[in-house]
Amino acid sequence: MFEVAAAGLSRTEARAEILAQIGGLLAGERDRTANCANVSALLYTLMPELNWAGFYFLKPDGWLVLGPFQGKPACVRIGPGKGVCGAAVVARAPVRVADVFAFPGHIACDAQSRAELVVPIIREGVVLGVIDLDSPVPGRFEAEDAVMLGEVAALVAAGCDW
Ligand code: SME
């Protein structure tokens, strides 16, 4: 089975390890729930200093609905354009928030969260959902994390049946 050795990885090593492992994780399976569950586990296990990692799927009515995740229970539905997640859908680009207290409209699911990174999942120009990472450490997410997570989102978009 899949082996993940998370202990002691630097942020740089964790990013490289995630990209090295995700291809194998998605190989041979296209079920969206299964693949996104494993991807959220991969991110949460390998990335240091996270308290939440998971997916929201975009519904035809424009609402985001909670998908597979790791961490504490989270808000189930996010309205169009709401929160950091909705902002990433509108922007069609990653939104990296160093301090969630300074982000107007941030939706607090876990009071421990202080920094957030959300990237949209886009296939053939259509936004399918987002990947959301939370951290209790202000300023936790680096530009390189947004690049890595964007690559993860592209692989998830191509590697699942939507
Ligand atoms: N903070 C997010 C809501 C989702 S939770 O972080 C899991 C937001 O503002 O959209």
Side-chain angles (χ1 to χ4, degrees):
M1 193 40 210
F2 205 69
E3 293 293 333
V4 173
L9 290 186
S10 70
R11 293 177 179 183
T12 303
E13 290 167 336
R15 285 190 289 262
E17 190 64 17
I18 288 163
L19 292 177
Q21 294 200 20
I22 192 164
L25 193 66
L26 299 176
E29 178 58 65
R30 294 195 58 82
D31 184 89
R32 182 179 74 169
T33 302
N35 283 346
C36 291
N38 264 341
V39 170
S40 63
L42 183 74
L43 294 168
Y44 191 77
T45 304
L46 287 180
M47 290 186 79
E49 302 167 311
L50 295 193
N51 62 330
W52 204 87
F55 289 80
Y56 282 88
F57 298 135
L58 188 63
K59 299 296 179 183
D61 63 4
W63 284 66
L64 288 163
V65 176
L66 184 63
F69 69 94
Q70 301 275 305
K72 290 183 179 174
C75 53
V76 173
R77 291 177 187 272
I78 298 174
K82 300 295 184 187
V84 184
C85 291
V89 172
V90 172
R92 304 170 66 88
V95 177
R96 190 161 56 98
V97 179
D99 178 1
V100 297
F101 296 159
F103 186 95
H106 167 256
I107 300 165
C109 294
D110 181 343
Q112 297 296 314
S113 296
R114 291 298 311 276
E116 184 156 0
L117 171 62
V118 181
V119 304
I121 302 165
I122 300 174
R123 189 188 60 182
E124 296 173 358
V126 177
V127 179
L128 304 168
V130 301
I131 307 177
D132 181 12
L133 303 180
D134 288 348
S135 171
V137 180
R140 158 67 182 84
F141 297 110
E142 303 167 307
E144 292 87 347
D145 291 312
V147 172
M148 180 276 290
L149 201 61
E151 293 180 37
V152 169
L155 290 168
V156 169
C160 301
D161 292 328
W162 295 82

PDB file of all heavy atoms in Angstrom, residues 90-112:
ATOM      1  N   VAL A  90     -14.095  32.946  -7.979  1.00  0.00           N
ATOM      2  CA  VAL A  90     -14.313  34.173  -8.753  1.00  0.00           C
ATOM      3  C   VAL A  90     -13.030  34.582  -9.491  1.00  0.00           C
ATOM      4  O   VAL A  90     -13.049  34.930 -10.670  1.00  0.00           O
ATOM      5  CB  VAL A  90     -14.804  35.312  -7.839  1.00  0.00           C
ATOM      6  CG1 VAL A  90     -14.832  36.638  -8.593  1.00  0.00           C
ATOM      7  CG2 VAL A  90     -16.185  34.980  -7.273  1.00  0.00           C
ATOM      8  N   ALA A  91     -11.904  34.501  -8.762  1.00  0.00           N
ATOM      9  CA  ALA A  91     -10.615  34.921  -9.341  1.00  0.00           C
ATOM     10  C   ALA A  91     -10.104  33.915 -10.371  1.00  0.00           C
ATOM     11  O   ALA A  91      -9.269  34.258 -11.212  1.00  0.00           O
ATOM     12  CB  ALA A  91      -9.583  35.082  -8.235  1.00  0.00           C
ATOM     13  N   ARG A  92     -10.590  32.657 -10.281  1.00  0.00           N
ATOM     14  CA  ARG A  92     -10.072  31.566 -11.114  1.00  0.00           C
ATOM     15  C   ARG A  92      -8.553  31.457 -10.979  1.00  0.00           C
ATOM     16  O   ARG A  92      -7.835  31.170 -11.943  1.00  0.00           O
ATOM     17  CB  ARG A  92     -10.465  31.755 -12.572  1.00  0.00           C
ATOM     18  CG  ARG A  92     -11.979  31.898 -12.784  1.00  0.00           C
ATOM     19  CD  ARG A  92     -12.298  32.317 -14.205  1.00  0.00           C
ATOM     20  NE  ARG A  92     -11.927  31.285 -15.147  1.00  0.00           N
ATOM     21  CZ  ARG A  92     -12.726  30.284 -15.522  1.00  0.00           C
ATOM     22  NH1 ARG A  92     -13.942  30.189 -15.027  1.00  0.00           N
ATOM     23  NH2 ARG A  92     -12.314  29.384 -16.384  1.00  0.00           N
ATOM     24  N   ALA A  93      -8.081  31.717  -9.764  1.00  0.00           N
ATOM     25  CA  ALA A  93      -6.646  31.735  -9.473  1.00  0.00           C
ATOM     26  C   ALA A  93      -6.462  31.471  -7.984  1.00  0.00           C
ATOM     27  O   ALA A  93      -7.397  31.648  -7.196  1.00  0.00           O
ATOM     28  CB  ALA A  93      -6.057  33.086  -9.852  1.00  0.00           C
ATOM     29  N   PRO A  94      -5.246  31.079  -7.583  1.00  0.00           N
ATOM     30  CA  PRO A  94      -5.006  30.843  -6.161  1.00  0.00           C
ATOM     31  C   PRO A  94      -5.207  32.109  -5.329  1.00  0.00           C
ATOM     32  O   PRO A  94      -4.906  33.210  -5.783  1.00  0.00           O
ATOM     33  CB  PRO A  94      -3.537  30.409  -6.116  1.00  0.00           C
ATOM     34  CG  PRO A  94      -3.243  29.887  -7.485  1.00  0.00           C
ATOM     35  CD  PRO A  94      -4.080  30.725  -8.414  1.00  0.00           C
ATOM     36  N   VAL A  95      -5.738  31.924  -4.117  1.00  0.00           N
ATOM     37  CA  VAL A  95      -5.833  33.021  -3.151  1.00  0.00           C
ATOM     38  C   VAL A  95      -5.053  32.587  -1.917  1.00  0.00           C
ATOM     39  O   VAL A  95      -5.375  31.573  -1.293  1.00  0.00           O
ATOM     40  CB  VAL A  95      -7.294  33.345  -2.790  1.00  0.00           C
ATOM     41  CG1 VAL A  95      -7.333  34.435  -1.725  1.00  0.00           C
ATOM     42  CG2 VAL A  95      -8.068  33.786  -4.035  1.00  0.00           C
ATOM     43  N   ARG A  96      -4.032  33.366  -1.608  1.00  0.00           N
ATOM     44  CA  ARG A  96      -3.135  33.052  -0.489  1.00  0.00           C
ATOM     45  C   ARG A  96      -3.312  34.119   0.567  1.00  0.00           C
ATOM     46  O   ARG A  96      -3.063  35.301   0.300  1.00  0.00           O
ATOM     47  CB  ARG A  96      -1.696  33.019  -1.023  1.00  0.00           C
ATOM     48  CG  ARG A  96      -0.663  32.487  -0.088  1.00  0.00           C
ATOM     49  CD  ARG A  96       0.598  32.080  -0.870  1.00  0.00           C
ATOM     50  NE  ARG A  96       1.152  33.151  -1.675  1.00  0.00           N
ATOM     51  CZ  ARG A  96       2.176  33.918  -1.294  1.00  0.00           C
ATOM     52  NH1 ARG A  96       2.753  33.739  -0.127  1.00  0.00           N
ATOM     53  NH2 ARG A  96       2.633  34.864  -2.098  1.00  0.00           N
ATOM     54  N   VAL A  97      -3.765  33.715   1.743  1.00  0.00           N
ATOM     55  CA  VAL A  97      -4.084  34.673   2.806  1.00  0.00           C
ATOM     56  C   VAL A  97      -3.119  34.453   3.971  1.00  0.00           C
ATOM     57  O   VAL A  97      -3.122  33.382   4.602  1.00  0.00           O
ATOM     58  CB  VAL A  97      -5.542  34.496   3.280  1.00  0.00           C
ATOM     59  CG1 VAL A  97      -5.855  35.471   4.399  1.00  0.00           C
ATOM     60  CG2 VAL A  97      -6.510  34.690   2.114  1.00  0.00           C
ATOM     61  N   ALA A  98      -2.309  35.470   4.251  1.00  0.00           N
ATOM     62  CA  ALA A  98      -1.324  35.348   5.331  1.00  0.00           C
ATOM     63  C   ALA A  98      -1.991  35.411   6.695  1.00  0.00           C
ATOM     64  O   ALA A  98      -1.560  34.736   7.638  1.00  0.00           O
ATOM     65  CB  ALA A  98      -0.269  36.451   5.201  1.00  0.00           C
ATOM     66  N   ASP A  99      -3.041  36.237   6.811  1.00  0.00           N
ATOM     67  CA  ASP A  99      -3.722  36.420   8.095  1.00  0.00           C
ATOM     68  C   ASP A  99      -5.223  36.461   7.827  1.00  0.00           C
ATOM     69  O   ASP A  99      -5.733  37.454   7.299  1.00  0.00           O
ATOM     70  CB  ASP A  99      -3.250  37.730   8.742  1.00  0.00           C
ATOM     71  CG  ASP A  99      -3.961  37.991  10.064  1.00  0.00           C
ATOM     72  OD1 ASP A  99      -4.801  37.160  10.484  1.00  0.00           O
ATOM     73  OD2 ASP A  99      -3.678  39.036  10.670  1.00  0.00           O
ATOM     74  N   VAL A 100      -5.909  35.395   8.186  1.00  0.00           N
ATOM     75  CA  VAL A 100      -7.338  35.322   7.857  1.00  0.00           C
ATOM     76  C   VAL A 100      -8.145  36.401   8.578  1.00  0.00           C
ATOM     77  O   VAL A 100      -9.202  36.808   8.092  1.00  0.00           O
ATOM     78  CB  VAL A 100      -7.926  33.926   8.175  1.00  0.00           C
ATOM     79  CG1 VAL A 100      -7.266  32.856   7.319  1.00  0.00           C
ATOM     80  CG2 VAL A 100      -7.832  33.589   9.643  1.00  0.00           C
ATOM     81  N   PHE A 101      -7.631  36.902   9.718  1.00  0.00           N
ATOM     82  CA  PHE A 101      -8.350  37.960  10.431  1.00  0.00           C
ATOM     83  C   PHE A 101      -8.398  39.249   9.599  1.00  0.00           C
ATOM     84  O   PHE A 101      -9.258  40.106   9.818  1.00  0.00           O
ATOM     85  CB  PHE A 101      -7.709  38.243  11.785  1.00  0.00           C
ATOM     86  CG  PHE A 101      -7.757  37.078  12.738  1.00  0.00           C
ATOM     87  CD1 PHE A 101      -6.884  36.998  13.806  1.00  0.00           C
ATOM     88  CD2 PHE A 101      -8.685  36.046  12.570  1.00  0.00           C
ATOM     89  CE1 PHE A 101      -6.923  35.919  14.694  1.00  0.00           C
ATOM     90  CE2 PHE A 101      -8.731  34.974  13.447  1.00  0.00           C
ATOM     91  CZ  PHE A 101      -7.841  34.908  14.508  1.00  0.00           C
ATOM     92  N   ALA A 102      -7.466  39.383   8.665  1.00  0.00           N
ATOM     93  CA  ALA A 102      -7.391  40.582   7.842  1.00  0.00           C
ATOM     94  C   ALA A 102      -8.083  40.399   6.492  1.00  0.00           C
ATOM     95  O   ALA A 102      -8.011  41.290   5.641  1.00  0.00           O
ATOM     96  CB  ALA A 102      -5.924  40.967   7.627  1.00  0.00           C
ATOM     97  N   PHE A 103      -8.735  39.239   6.293  1.00  0.00           N
ATOM     98  CA  PHE A 103      -9.414  38.973   5.016  1.00  0.00           C
ATOM     99  C   PHE A 103     -10.909  39.188   5.214  1.00  0.00           C
ATOM    100  O   PHE A 103     -11.573  38.387   5.894  1.00  0.00           O
ATOM    101  CB  PHE A 103      -9.146  37.543   4.550  1.00  0.00           C
ATOM    102  CG  PHE A 103      -9.682  37.234   3.178  1.00  0.00           C
ATOM    103  CD1 PHE A 103      -8.873  37.346   2.057  1.00  0.00           C
ATOM    104  CD2 PHE A 103     -11.005  36.829   3.007  1.00  0.00           C
ATOM    105  CE1 PHE A 103      -9.375  37.059   0.791  1.00  0.00           C
ATOM    106  CE2 PHE A 103     -11.510  36.548   1.744  1.00  0.00           C
ATOM    107  CZ  PHE A 103     -10.690  36.661   0.636  1.00  0.00           C
ATOM    108  N   PRO A 104     -11.470  40.252   4.637  1.00  0.00           N
ATOM    109  CA  PRO A 104     -12.903  40.506   4.829  1.00  0.00           C
ATOM    110  C   PRO A 104     -13.742  39.343   4.299  1.00  0.00           C
ATOM    111  O   PRO A 104     -13.530  38.892   3.176  1.00  0.00           O
ATOM    112  CB  PRO A 104     -13.147  41.773   4.003  1.00  0.00           C
ATOM    113  CG  PRO A 104     -11.802  42.391   3.812  1.00  0.00           C
ATOM    114  CD  PRO A 104     -10.821  41.263   3.804  1.00  0.00           C
ATOM    115  N   GLY A 105     -14.649  38.841   5.119  1.00  0.00           N
ATOM    116  CA  GLY A 105     -15.524  37.769   4.672  1.00  0.00           C
ATOM    117  C   GLY A 105     -14.985  36.383   4.885  1.00  0.00           C
ATOM    118  O   GLY A 105     -15.633  35.402   4.502  1.00  0.00           O
ATOM    119  N   HIS A 106     -13.799  36.281   5.467  1.00  0.00           N
ATOM    120  CA  HIS A 106     -13.268  34.949   5.764  1.00  0.00           C
ATOM    121  C   HIS A 106     -14.280  34.156   6.591  1.00  0.00           C
ATOM    122  O   HIS A 106     -14.883  34.679   7.534  1.00  0.00           O
ATOM    123  CB  HIS A 106     -11.948  35.071   6.539  1.00  0.00           C
ATOM    124  CG  HIS A 106     -11.495  33.785   7.149  1.00  0.00           C
ATOM    125  ND1 HIS A 106     -11.614  33.515   8.498  1.00  0.00           N
ATOM    126  CD2 HIS A 106     -10.955  32.682   6.588  1.00  0.00           C
ATOM    127  CE1 HIS A 106     -11.155  32.304   8.738  1.00  0.00           C
ATOM    128  NE2 HIS A 106     -10.738  31.782   7.605  1.00  0.00           N
ATOM    129  N   ILE A 107     -14.469  32.894   6.242  1.00  0.00           N
ATOM    130  CA  ILE A 107     -15.396  32.020   6.964  1.00  0.00           C
ATOM    131  C   ILE A 107     -14.573  31.152   7.918  1.00  0.00           C
ATOM    132  O   ILE A 107     -13.747  30.341   7.466  1.00  0.00           O
ATOM    133  CB  ILE A 107     -16.189  31.137   5.982  1.00  0.00           C
ATOM    134  CG1 ILE A 107     -16.993  32.022   5.029  1.00  0.00           C
ATOM    135  CG2 ILE A 107     -17.098  30.185   6.741  1.00  0.00           C
ATOM    136  CD1 ILE A 107     -17.525  31.274   3.809  1.00  0.00           C
ATOM    137  N   ALA A 108     -14.772  31.334   9.199  1.00  0.00           N
ATOM    138  CA  ALA A 108     -13.989  30.608  10.205  1.00  0.00           C
ATOM    139  C   ALA A 108     -14.650  29.275  10.511  1.00  0.00           C
ATOM    140  O   ALA A 108     -15.745  29.227  11.076  1.00  0.00           O
ATOM    141  CB  ALA A 108     -13.855  31.442  11.464  1.00  0.00           C
ATOM    142  N   CYS A 109     -13.993  28.186  10.102  1.00  0.00           N
ATOM    143  CA  CYS A 109     -14.503  26.850  10.421  1.00  0.00           C
ATOM    144  C   CYS A 109     -13.825  26.328  11.676  1.00  0.00           C
ATOM    145  O   CYS A 109     -14.445  25.657  12.485  1.00  0.00           O
ATOM    146  CB  CYS A 109     -14.248  25.896   9.256  1.00  0.00           C
ATOM    147  SG  CYS A 109     -15.182  26.315   7.780  1.00  0.00           S
ATOM    148  N   ASP A 110     -12.540  26.600  11.808  1.00  0.00           N
ATOM    149  CA  ASP A 110     -11.763  26.173  12.963  1.00  0.00           C
ATOM    150  C   ASP A 110     -11.096  27.429  13.517  1.00  0.00           C
ATOM    151  O   ASP A 110     -10.345  28.110  12.803  1.00  0.00           O
ATOM    152  CB  ASP A 110     -10.718  25.140  12.513  1.00  0.00           C
ATOM    153  CG  ASP A 110      -9.867  24.628  13.675  1.00  0.00           C
ATOM    154  OD1 ASP A 110      -9.843  25.271  14.748  1.00  0.00           O
ATOM    155  OD2 ASP A 110      -9.206  23.585  13.485  1.00  0.00           O
ATOM    156  N   ALA A 111     -11.370  27.728  14.787  1.00  0.00           N
ATOM    157  CA  ALA A 111     -10.836  28.959  15.376  1.00  0.00           C
ATOM    158  C   ALA A 111      -9.312  28.979  15.401  1.00  0.00           C
ATOM    159  O   ALA A 111      -8.705  30.039  15.541  1.00  0.00           O
ATOM    160  CB  ALA A 111     -11.370  29.115  16.798  1.00  0.00           C
ATOM    161  N   GLN A 112      -8.693  27.809  15.220  1.00  0.00           N
ATOM    162  CA  GLN A 112      -7.229  27.750  15.215  1.00  0.00           C
ATOM    163  C   GLN A 112      -6.623  28.279  13.907  1.00  0.00           C
ATOM    164  O   GLN A 112      -5.440  28.602  13.860  1.00  0.00           O
ATOM    165  CB  GLN A 112      -6.767  26.301  15.408  1.00  0.00           C
ATOM    166  CG  GLN A 112      -7.171  25.691  16.735  1.00  0.00           C
ATOM    167  CD  GLN A 112      -6.534  26.398  17.911  1.00  0.00           C
ATOM    168  OE1 GLN A 112      -5.344  26.676  17.896  1.00  0.00           O
ATOM    169  NE2 GLN A 112      -7.329  26.720  18.922  1.00  0.00           N
TER     170      GLN A 112
END
